[in-house]
């Protein structure tokens, strides 16, 4: 499990890493883990916190592969639900949401205040 991180820190990490990924690589459903790692490192985030960015911006299979290679067990769905709760200010109500969806595909979640740098229109 990743190093403890406050909800406000997770929210900041996801926003800043997401902004850097879009700026550097364009708008993608999922980013390669090397792109996520590079963005987080360049922004000065501890390696123990990168897992939170992986769960948001990497595919479920990439997330699993990363953790298997490191010999760690992290729950993709649980972590992603925690981040979603941080982003919208409510940690409940995500059980019906398909957690495997890309960050660009979440229905009925207004992320414009968190990702104010991003245009979600098609």
């Amino acid at each position: 499990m990743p190093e403890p991180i406050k909800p406000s820190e997770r929210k900041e990490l996801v926003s800043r890493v997401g902004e850097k990924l879009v700026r550097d690589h364009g708008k993608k459903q999922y980013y390669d883990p090397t792109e996520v790692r590079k963005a987080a490192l360049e922004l000065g985030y501890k390696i123990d916190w990168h897992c939170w960015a992986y769960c948001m911006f990497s595919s479920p299979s990439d997330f699993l592969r990363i953790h298997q290679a490191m010999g760690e067990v992290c729950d993709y769905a649980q972590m992603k639900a925690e981040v979603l709760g941080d982003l919208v200010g409510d940690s409940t109500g995500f059980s019906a949401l398909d957690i495997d969806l890309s960050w660009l595909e979440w229905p009925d979640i207004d992320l414009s205040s968190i990702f104010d740098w991003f245009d979600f229109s098609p």
Side-chain angles (χ1 to χ4, degrees):
M1 188 57 105
E3 177 181 313
I5 180 174
K6 296 176 191 170
S8 60
E9 292 169 325
R10 271 193 302 256
K11 185 176 179 177
E12 177 187 295
L13 167 95
V14 167
S15 180
R16 291 185 68 215
V17 169
E19 180 177 14
K20 182 153 183 55
L21 287 167
V22 170
R23 187 176 54 242
D24 292 352
H25 306 285
K27 183 176 171 178
K28 295 182 181 181
Q29 297 291 320
Y30 296 106
Y31 293 89
D32 187 273
T34 57
E35 295 169 337
V36 176
R37 180 177 41 253
K38 183 177 184 227
L41 284 171
E42 287 178 2
L43 292 168
Y45 288 105
K46 301 178 207 179
I47 195 118
D48 290 344
W49 288 14
H50 294 189
C51 191
W52 296 102
Y54 290 136
C55 82
M56 289 297 293
F57 301 112
S58 295
S59 70
S61 59
D62 281 341
F63 181 89
L64 180 62
R65 186 176 44 80
I66 291 163
H67 289 87
Q68 285 176 335
M70 294 188 309
E72 292 181 350
V73 177
C74 288
D75 186 322
Y76 177 83
Q78 177 188 356
M79 289 182 70
K80 199 161 195 177
E82 280 185 57
V83 173
L84 282 169
D86 296 339
L87 295 176
V88 298
D90 179 12
S91 60
T92 62
F94 294 112
S95 58
L97 178 66
D98 182 355
I99 293 295
D100 289 345
L101 291 176
S102 156
W103 67 290
L104 295 175
E105 300 173 304
W106 295 329
D108 303 323
I109 300 174
D110 181 9
L111 299 174
S112 60
S113 65
I114 296 98
F115 299 118
D116 57 358
W117 44 265
F118 187 74
D119 179 13
F120 279 95
S121 59

